[in-house]
Amino acid sequence: MTPITTPCDLNHRSLARFPVSKTIALSQRLLFRRAFRTPRVRLLFKDIEHLLRLAAVMLIALVAFVVLRAAVVPKSFGQYGHYRGDAIAELAARPVAHAGHEVCEGCHTDVVDQKKLGRHAGLHCEVCHGPQARHADDPASVKPLLPDTTVICARCHEANSAKPHSFPQVASADHSGGLSCNTCHQPHRPKIEDRGKPATGAKK
Amino acid sequence: MHIPVEGFMYPNEVELQWSVLIVLYPFITGLVAGAFILASLERVFRVQAVKPTYRLALLTALSFLLVAPLPLQLHLGHPERSLEMYLTPHRSSAMAMFGFVYLWYLMAVLLLEIWLDYRRDIVLKSQTAKGLPRLIYRILTLGSDVLSDRSLRIDERLGYFITLIGIPSAFLLHGYVGFIFGSVKANPWWSSPLMPIVFIFSAMVSGIAAVMLLYMLSSRLRGKQIDIRCLDKIAQYLMYTFIIDFSLEMLDLLQRIYEADESFRSLDFMVHTRLWTSQVIVQILLGTVTPIALLGLTQLFSLTESIRKRIYAVAGCLTVIGIFAMRWNVVIGGQLFSKSFLGYTSYKMGFATREGLLTAIILMILPFIILWILVKILPPWTDEESTSASEAIPVHAAS
Amino acid sequence: MDITRRRLLVLLPAAAVAWEFVRAGTPESAPNYKTSEHWWGMLIDITECIGCGSCVRACAQENDVPDGYYRTWIERYHVTDYAIERPQVESPNGGKEGFPMNEDSSGKNFFVPKLCNHCADSPCTQVCPVGATFVSPDGVVLVDKNYCLGCRYCVQACPYGCRFINPKTNTADKCSLCYHRITKGLTTACAEVCPTGARQLADLKNPKDPIHEYLRTHSVQILKPHMATGAKVFYNGMDGSVR
């Protein structure tokens, strides 16, 4: 292993021989066109040919990136902030599933009148009947199913110590013994003594 | 798939988000940063003893760095959109900035340094090799075969500057991985200002240990004598960085125990149950205390060369396992407890799934295959081949 | 009479007008909605919640939320007087089917509905590497599922566990505060179906919104205030054990 001139060896020795100031001076001379004609600089130019080629490769990659970026980034990106501006409109354009009680009440005025008198007055239709936008879209062919009162009533009224104490709740096994709730209660106007009385508000 | 839950998890928390692949990612980038820092010891800090590993460390760093983004890609829900990280990076996101740190490190530091360091060999081989290798070497020369003394000196000087920039870059690379976790304020297991520093030191530990093992293994495979002076020096550096790393981790632990904030009870329970094996047994006892003690033995007593070699081999293996366990405990451990601090979920690793064990094993083998190819193309050995290469120099340099 | 008219099987004019409005397009094209005029949040009254799960079901139907994932969910708390820091909490199936009767009626029991807090300084949008999740100009934290990478960093960053990866799209998903409804003048699906009015959509920029009077007159809290996320879901009657 006598005269191994690995690049590492060259490195340490060359450090002293090749100070920074000299590099700067050389590169400064490169800037002047006239200097190109001097043989010394032409020699340097030859010595750093591989680095210039490397710089060219990097520059091409950078330009390719900039071009790609301009081509690929969505036009609306950055419209309101660091995101695709069109995303807001896309999210807002999603069709609704629950029509909302105002739409229901436009047609089902009879139920509204009934509900008004009982304790379910504040309940919106889709609490029990489920999402009805498709029914609102096409009332003729899309018919909502009648909810099963044994299931639907218990969800709210089954006794549970975590429910507020003032909320009406029963243990359904003791309360009805398996009978469905609408045997006795009319869901739109649940208080039993109200049953059979005219719905149009003759009472009170 | 049913995931066993203990206590209460927020319902969306039951499923783990980051799998074993995300454990691999900081592990692999850690090896990269560590290997590079070892390489720069020779060049910047003039530690002549570790020279035999200089080029090997650089190639190791490159082969692991090339694999580092793969686990992330495989993990993404939409890998085809990953370029968005570069096209529209979000400045406030640690992950987006990491993309650039990675690219900087790969293109501006590692590839450039290796290219400058090997350029003479590449040019010489492009003139002597035949067939496909010749084409590869010719492409690598970028069409310039200038090998004048001056050009080599310029390369050396530039290479030195790049190494100089490379050290903070390597710190940045892995410190940033630490920051990706350390900056998540919602997660008390991660959220810590010490995280980047702990990650940097553990990266150095794992990288140094890995290069040490690779050096021993490659010497054995090539039937060459191990340079024991070099090995002693590397082992010494390994011990010192390991002691710093361990102190930092213990400092973090002490602070957590003493402060005992709202998350402490929950995390403490987790360490004593679900993380007991991987954290206390594997990471701390087996993967940290044991190798430090073993390395300490070689410093305190004058042991024979063959015993020292064996101790280094054992300590090196334990270290790499210990650092892997550390990554596991950070990534997986940070997702096992509920952010309500009221319960725990569990991680079930698949086998032949996209993010399963098999994928992880393949991803861990891949860097070694790349390294093998790199070593074939760019031999890093300083003992035999380079002698013949350097003999060839005067001929070409003169022409 | 009403019934016969209903049998015509067409929408009556009042409903038709309302429905037309609902089906109107984007906020830009809908003349009634300007993003700059709103700043959305939600009010939740824990003292009114009965844990029926209507909100969870309605949310899943309105937004196609896959089973096992929740844009909103309900938790039941059980707190005994000596263990305020260690409540027992459960949320079977996110409370979608309600809650079974709890055996132990000692101590304090109550329900807490949860959803995205639509934080003004949201940690999840901060960490998104590509700008696929963001706070909209009207204060709603949204996900652009056509841009999301599925890196899951935002899921990790949310302190409230509100985000998940939708297995159908492989992108991040979360409560959008029914953005497609509120921009059309409707309330959210969860508030629409809440039988007790425990959930109320609130527009903090609208001076006529009852939220202002409510916030003035009640002791209202947000979740995990120490996280400094600028949460905009306000809880009335919330116990100190809630987290």
Side-chain angles (χ1 to χ4, degrees):
Chain A
M1 305 224 314
T2 26
I4 305 174
T5 41
T6 61
C8 328
D9 281 340
L10 266 170
N11 172 30
H12 308 310
R13 266 183 257 127
S14 63
L15 281 179
R17 267 191 272 146
F18 205 80
V20 188
S21 57
K22 210 168 173 183
T23 326
I24 294 168
L26 279 171
S27 52
Q28 272 176 344
R29 238 177 279 166
L30 258 177
L31 293 173
F32 301 100
R33 269 196 85 206
R34 198 193 289 170
F36 271 103
R37 286 181 210 135
T38 70
R40 240 184 108 185
V41 172
R42 217 174 295 148
L43 196 66
L44 174 77
F45 201 73
K46 197 164 176 277
D47 286 335
I48 60 166
E49 188 201 341
H50 60 291
L51 294 179
L52 294 175
R53 281 169 184 265
L54 182 74
V57 170
M58 285 180 159
L59 196 69
I60 289 167
L62 190 71
V63 170
F65 172 76
V66 171
V67 170
L68 181 77
R69 188 173 189 278
V72 174
V73 172
K75 293 284 164 290
S76 70
F77 203 95
Q79 192 181 352
Y80 306 113
H82 191 84
Y83 53 92
R84 224 162 44 89
D86 288 348
I88 292 187
E90 284 168 22
L91 282 154
R94 184 189 167 85
V96 301
H98 291 76
H101 61 282
E102 279 162 358
V103 173
C104 310
E105 287 162 3
C107 292
H108 301 274
T109 45
D110 53 332
V111 182
V112 178
D113 289 341
Q114 271 226 330
K115 269 174 62 192
K116 238 188 268 174
L117 303 165
R119 292 187 70 179
H120 279 172
L123 251 67
H124 300 156
C125 315
E126 286 161 318
V127 176
C128 304
H129 293 281
Q132 295 301 342
R134 286 176 57 228
H135 169 62
D137 261 341
D138 186 3
S141 46
V142 182
K143 294 303 232 175
L145 290 172
L146 208 59
D148 178 2
T149 52
T150 27
V151 178
I152 215 104
C153 301
R155 278 187 177 140
C156 293
H157 294 289
E158 189 67 56
N160 194 316
S161 58
K163 286 179 182 172
H165 297 305
S166 56
F167 186 79
Q169 43 195 313
V170 294
S172 57
D174 305 338
H175 180 76
S176 62
L179 280 175
S180 70
C181 308
N182 60 355
T183 318
C184 308
H185 300 277
Q186 208 276 75
H188 288 146
R189 204 177 163 196
K191 212 168 179 187
I192 288 178
E193 54 265 37
D194 291 346
R195 265 196 107 195
K197 290 181 185 167
T200 38
K203 209 183 124 200
K204 288 176 195 171
Chain B
M1 189 173 70
H2 178 72
I3 302 165
V5 173
E6 186 182 341
F8 171 72
M9 302 288 290
Y10 294 130
N12 293 325
E13 276 183 329
V14 174
E15 182 185 304
L16 252 70
Q17 300 299 326
W18 285 349
S19 65
V20 64
L21 295 191
I22 307 299
V23 177
L24 284 188
Y25 155 71
F27 181 63
I28 290 175
T29 43
L31 292 175
V32 174
F36 184 86
I37 289 165
L38 180 65
S40 53
L41 275 180
E42 190 273 333
R43 195 152 195 179
V44 177
F45 302 110
R46 317 272 165 83
V47 184
Q48 292 296 320
V50 301
K51 180 179 282 175
T53 62
Y54 170 70
R55 283 179 155 190
L56 183 65
L58 281 186
L59 293 186
T60 309
L62 180 61
S63 42
F64 277 95
L65 192 66
L66 289 175
V67 175
L70 287 185
L72 297 184
Q73 278 290 327
L74 280 168
H75 166 80
L76 288 182
H78 285 272
E80 78 282 4
R81 294 179 187 168
S82 59
L83 209 59
E84 288 170 6
M85 288 247 211
Y86 290 110
L87 297 174
T88 57
H90 194 197
R91 277 197 305 275
S92 69
S93 168
M95 202 182 270
M97 288 303 107
F98 179 79
F100 288 93
V101 173
Y102 172 84
L103 205 63
W104 162 260
Y105 191 73
L106 176 70
M107 304 305 252
V109 176
L110 210 47
L111 279 181
L112 210 55
E113 173 154 353
I114 292 175
W115 187 70
L116 288 172
D117 198 65
Y118 274 99
R119 204 179 63 81
R120 192 190 47 181
D121 297 14
I122 291 170
V123 171
L124 292 179
K125 287 201 166 144
S126 75
Q127 289 158 352
T128 55
K130 304 249 179 311
L132 182 70
R134 185 186 168 86
L135 185 69
I136 295 171
Y137 289 121
R138 282 210 66 87
I139 292 170
L140 287 176
T141 59
L142 298 179
S144 160
D145 54 2
V146 55
L147 276 185
S148 62
D149 284 348
R150 188 129 157 253
S151 73
L152 288 176
R153 258 185 281 127
I154 291 170
D155 283 359
E156 283 314 313
R157 182 128 194 91
L158 194 59
Y160 175 79
F161 272 122
I162 289 167
T163 319
L164 220 53
I165 298 164
I167 295 172
S169 300
F171 273 73
L172 190 67
L173 179 76
H174 210 61
Y176 227 103
V177 179
F179 187 69
I180 285 179
F181 294 98
S183 63
V184 178
K185 70 176 168 188
N187 191 320
W189 185 248
W190 292 342
S191 173
S192 158
L194 272 183
M195 203 61 133
I197 299 213
V198 167
F199 262 58
I200 287 168
F201 277 94
S202 58
M204 285 166 67
V205 169
S206 65
I208 293 173
V211 173
M212 183 177 81
L213 290 174
L214 277 173
Y215 175 60
M216 292 171 83
L217 187 72
S218 61
S219 299
R220 172 164 279 224
L221 287 177
R222 295 164 58 241
K224 298 282 169 196
Q225 190 68 36
I226 292 177
D227 182 346
I228 191 72
R229 207 168 57 91
C230 167
L231 206 57
D232 283 339
K233 201 76 189 169
I234 296 177
Q236 205 179 359
Y237 281 117
L238 176 61
M239 192 183 77
Y240 293 150
T241 42
F242 217 162
I243 289 172
I244 298 174
D245 176 44
F246 188 51
S247 319
L248 286 170
E249 280 184 47
M250 287 303 108
L251 192 65
D252 187 54
L253 190 66
L254 273 176
Q255 176 86 359
R256 282 169 189 273
I257 294 171
Y258 192 82
E259 274 193 0
D261 67 7
E262 57 163 1
S263 64
F264 179 69
R265 192 198 295 270
S266 177
L267 299 181
D268 187 51
F269 183 80
M270 180 175 75
V271 169
H272 281 88
T273 52
R274 282 168 199 235
L275 285 187
W276 182 256
T277 320
S278 62
Q279 174 107 355
V280 179
I281 309 284
V282 180
Q283 184 192 328
I284 295 177
L285 292 180
L286 215 60
T288 307
V289 176
T290 316
I292 289 179
L294 285 174
L295 293 171
L297 280 182
T298 64
Q299 299 294 313
L300 290 174
F301 306 101
S302 52
L303 304 164
T304 66
E305 227 173 77
S306 71
I307 292 180
R308 288 215 304 277
K309 274 187 211 164
R310 269 172 209 156
I311 288 182
Y312 294 153
V314 173
C317 289
L318 287 177
T319 303
V320 174
I321 293 169
I323 299 293
F324 182 81
M326 182 259 184
R327 310 292 189 228
W328 175 279
N329 294 323
V330 169
V331 176
I332 302 295
Q335 304 173 80
L336 290 180
F337 65 93
S338 169
K339 285 171 191 155
S340 68
F341 308 131
L342 294 171
Y344 308 89
T345 185
S346 23
Y347 175 49
K348 290 259 178 273
M349 184 163 46
F351 181 68
T353 54
R354 190 166 80 141
E355 297 189 41
L357 183 63
L358 190 65
T359 317
I361 291 170
I362 292 171
L363 283 176
M364 261 341 276
I365 293 172
L366 200 57
F368 292 100
I369 297 173
I370 296 176
L371 182 62
W372 183 77
I373 295 169
L374 283 177
V375 165
K376 287 282 161 208
I377 301 174
L378 307 167
W381 323 120
T382 48
D383 36 16
E384 45 164 349
E385 290 89 341
S386 60
T387 325
S388 55
S390 59
E391 275 163 5
I393 277 189
V395 184
H396 290 275
S399 61
Chain C
M1 183 183 111
D2 285 315
I3 293 162
T4 51
R5 264 168 63 188
R6 224 168 77 205
R7 292 224 170 97
L8 292 172
L9 300 175
V10 287
L11 290 185
L12 293 180
V17 168
W19 189 236
E20 242 359 87
F21 180 57
V22 163
R23 292 198 299 179
T26 64
E28 274 79 21
S29 63
N32 312 43
Y33 191 85
K34 284 202 184 71
T35 49
S36 57
E37 286 171 0
H38 305 272
W39 191 247
W40 296 107
M42 186 167 266
L43 177 68
I44 291 181
D45 192 347
I46 286 179
T47 61
E48 291 288 344
C49 181
I50 57 170
C52 62
S54 297
C55 48
V56 186
R57 291 190 299 278
C59 176
Q61 289 168 319
E62 182 74 40
N63 299 295
D64 280 332
V65 183
D67 268 350
Y69 300 91
Y70 305 91
R71 284 185 173 202
T72 183
W73 69 96
I74 307 169
E75 295 164 4
R76 178 167 65 186
Y77 274 70
H78 172 67
V79 193
T80 47
D81 50 3
Y82 55 87
I84 191 166
E85 284 188 354
R86 271 174 298 161
Q88 284 171 31
V89 187
E90 57 187 328
S91 183
N93 202 8
K96 206 179 201 169
E97 305 304 328
F99 289 78
M101 178 70 194
N102 42 354
E103 310 292 313
D104 188 3
S105 59
S106 67
K108 205 163 21 175
N109 297 291
F110 54 91
F111 297 108
V112 183
K114 295 269 184 86
L115 71 157
C116 169
N117 287 276
H118 295 282
C119 308
D121 306 311
S122 69
C124 55
T125 60
Q126 183 188 28
V127 302
C128 177
V130 298
T133 183
F134 51 88
V135 183
S136 71
D138 36 0
V140 183
V141 177
L142 295 172
V143 178
D144 179 355
K145 68 173 191 294
N146 296 320
Y147 209 68
C148 173
L149 296 172
C151 75
R152 305 179 177 222
Y153 201 13
C154 58
V155 186
Q156 305 284 10
C158 174
Y160 309 102
C162 294
R163 283 175 172 257
F164 57 90
I165 294 293
N166 188 319
K168 286 185 205 153
T169 59
N170 281 324
T171 53
D173 201 338
K174 63 177 278 298
C175 163
S176 62
L177 208 65
C178 283
Y179 197 69
H180 59 298
R181 297 177 61 86
I182 60 176
T183 49
K184 292 164 191 161
L186 295 170
T187 187
T188 62
C190 58
E192 173 70 31
V193 303
C194 181
T196 60
R199 302 171 80 123
Q200 300 285 342
L201 179 68
D203 184 356
L204 297 161
K205 260 194 193 170
N206 177 3
K208 289 185 193 132
D209 196 298
I211 181 76
H212 303 291
E213 175 65 16
Y214 197 96
L215 292 177
R216 255 200 307 277
T217 52
H218 291 75
S219 293
V220 169
Q221 294 184 56
I222 53 165
L223 289 172
K224 299 192 182 181
H226 57 280
M227 285 285 163
T229 56
K232 297 204 300 301
V233 172
F234 305 102
Y235 286 88
N236 180 50
M238 186 161 77
D239 190 77
S241 60
V242 176
R243 54 215 29 217

